[in-house]
Amino acid sequence: MSENGSRRTVEFDIDRYVRNSKKVDLTQIDWEDIPNHPLSDGDVMCLHYMMDIETHTVIYLRDLLATRVSHDPHVTAFLSCWVYEELWHGEAFSDFLRQYGLEVPAEPRLPDGSRPLPSRPARTARLREQMGVGHQLFVLPSMLGSLLMRDFVALHMTWGAINELTTLTGYYQLIRRSDHPVLHRMLRKVIQDERRHFAFYRAQAKARLTGNPRAGRIVRWALKAFWSPVGAGVKTEEEVDALALYLFADAPEGRQAVRDVDRMVSELPGLQGLTLLEDVLDRAIERARRKPGWAGTGPGLVYGAQHDGARPNGGSGAPPPTHWRPAAAPREDALAVQPGEPANDPA
């Protein structure tokens, strides 16, 4: 039943999902082959970003459970599995980077040479510490919004649908941009989970917005006023822009992927015509225009002038990003190791 007493139909089998939820299966991944194929600096940047955000999911769960979301047993059942699966996505990216030869930073080893899980405690702790006291207070707006908004769950479900769809679309675009065959196989495994996550959030959002124009108005206003792309707040504005430009602004395929996300979001009741992700991309493009070298973009012709990627409303493209700027010295956040050799942990 919905908050207003009407019966709600959710087009998602939560019982089947919960019973089949598990750690992402990477047994068929050829880990030994990972160092044999190159990654661009942009690929490495994306993997770092994705690893950090996947392992940060538990913080979002903390904030949500302090709201009226916790009253719905179907939602809490999903979230319990969701956060577990996201943890293992972060571990997958972590393991991939390590096998490639990057430690970010090097972690202490156990006596048998392995590392405790999660494998990035120092990096994760540092990331959360850098967010400062504001990170600890993020729960307060969620609690307040839940108290004041009867349709808060509809907002969260819609927000989650957008974020999951953006995430899996980003993974597809990294497959397009990267030439690494093992990374392709691993990302397709992770995408299978993300598609189920998106299906749940979208089904819940659709059910809560259908026949509820008040919720549609509130959700539409909140998204236009407050929505930001996945990772914003955890990552800096330049890091978010770097990801957006690298995955979506290099070719017409990237721009079309952004439009497809917005189209699917606008199919939800009350959200027709929203262009959330394309607006984010255009703002990143504009910052790259104003600040040469911003977010790792290199020199070149303006994207959109010679390609079918410009927006009908007059927005244009970006300098074509290839990587983050090539480093003059080894990356400070990466410890390179020879394939097959252990990293030399700092004393």
Side-chain angles (χ1 to χ4, degrees):
M1 298 290 285
S2 65
E3 290 89 341
N4 60 17
S6 61
R7 184 166 295 277
R8 177 192 304 126
T9 301
V10 179
E11 299 168 352
F12 186 89
D13 189 341
I14 185 63
D15 182 70
R16 180 181 178 184
Y17 169 74
V18 170
R19 293 181 186 279
N20 289 281
S21 175
K22 62 183 182 299
K23 168 186 174 182
V24 61
D25 183 5
L26 300 178
T27 55
Q28 301 302 313
I29 299 299
D30 186 356
W31 296 98
E32 299 301 320
D33 192 37
I34 290 174
N36 299 328
H37 307 276
L39 293 170
S40 73
D41 283 351
D43 298 339
V44 172
M45 175 270 294
C46 290
L47 288 170
H48 286 170
Y49 189 112
M50 294 164 175
M51 175 183 70
D52 289 340
I53 301 309
E54 294 280 18
T55 55
H56 196 72
T57 302
V58 68
I59 300 300
Y60 301 135
L61 177 63
R62 175 205 67 182
D63 296 351
L64 289 172
L65 292 180
T67 72
R68 65 176 71 214
V69 167
S70 63
H71 300 168
D72 189 315
H74 286 176
V75 174
T76 53
F78 167 79
L79 293 176
S80 299
C81 299
W82 169 71
V83 73
Y84 178 77
E85 292 174 357
E86 298 285 20
L87 168 69
W88 286 107
H89 295 171
E91 287 300 309
F93 294 129
S94 173
D95 290 343
F96 188 96
L97 285 168
R98 178 178 293 120
Q99 190 66 27
Y100 185 71
L102 297 176
E103 292 284 347
V104 197
E107 297 286 352
R109 296 178 185 274
L110 297 177
D112 64 357
S114 65
R115 291 174 171 79
L117 294 178
S119 65
R120 306 289 185 174
R123 181 180 177 90
T124 301
R126 184 177 64 186
L127 185 69
R128 295 174 184 174
E129 185 176 327
Q130 288 172 349
M131 296 177 68
V133 67
H135 160 66
Q136 301 171 19
L137 298 179
F138 281 170
V139 67
L140 296 181
S142 297
M143 293 175 64
L144 182 60
S146 177
L147 289 172
L148 297 178
M149 283 178 53
R150 191 168 65 182
D151 296 303
F152 176 83
V153 183
L155 172 60
H156 168 65
M157 293 294 106
T158 306
W159 199 296
I162 298 170
N163 285 356
E164 294 292 341
L165 180 57
T166 302
T167 298
L168 70 90
T169 301
Y171 292 161
Y172 276 123
Q173 293 305 300
L174 183 55
I175 290 173
R176 178 181 65 82
R177 293 235 55 189
S178 175
D179 295 324
H180 201 297
V182 185
L183 178 59
H184 290 186
R185 290 192 289 272
M186 189 184 79
L187 285 171
R188 292 187 186 281
K189 290 286 188 178
V190 174
I191 284 170
Q192 291 177 9
D193 284 350
E194 299 293 356
R195 291 182 68 86
R196 287 188 288 270
H197 299 168
F198 167 64
F200 174 84
Y201 279 116
R202 182 183 181 278
Q204 285 280 337
K206 181 179 178 182
R208 294 169 188 277
L209 293 172
T210 298
N212 191 351
R214 180 196 63 198
R217 290 190 296 270
I218 292 173
V219 170
R220 184 185 186 90
W221 170 82
L223 290 174
K224 292 181 70 174
F226 301 114
W227 184 82
S228 56
V230 180
V234 180
K235 294 294 188 176
T236 66
E237 182 178 66
E238 186 171 17
E239 288 174 314
V240 175
D241 282 358
L243 191 81
L245 294 172
Y246 186 75
L247 295 180
F248 300 116
D250 68 301
E253 295 88 342
R255 172 69 69 166
Q256 185 58 50
V258 165
R259 289 173 176 165
D260 288 342
V261 171
D262 283 337
R263 176 183 53 79
M264 294 185 73
V265 172
S266 68
E267 290 174 355
L268 291 170
L271 305 187
Q272 293 79 7
L274 285 182
T275 56
L276 296 173
L277 197 57
E278 195 163 17
D279 292 343
V280 165
L281 181 58
D282 282 339
R283 287 193 292 269
I285 287 168
E286 182 57 30
R287 281 187 287 269
R289 288 182 177 282
R290 296 197 314 265
K291 307 174 185 179
W294 173 260
T297 54
L301 296 176
V302 173
Y303 171 69
Q306 290 77 28
H307 303 280
D308 182 22
R311 295 188 66 174
N313 63 6
S316 53
T322 52
H323 323 101
W324 264 4
R325 288 178 294 275
R331 285 182 290 265
E332 294 180 359
D333 66 342
L335 177 64
V337 298
Q338 295 298 318
E341 294 293 329
N344 294 317
D345 291 339

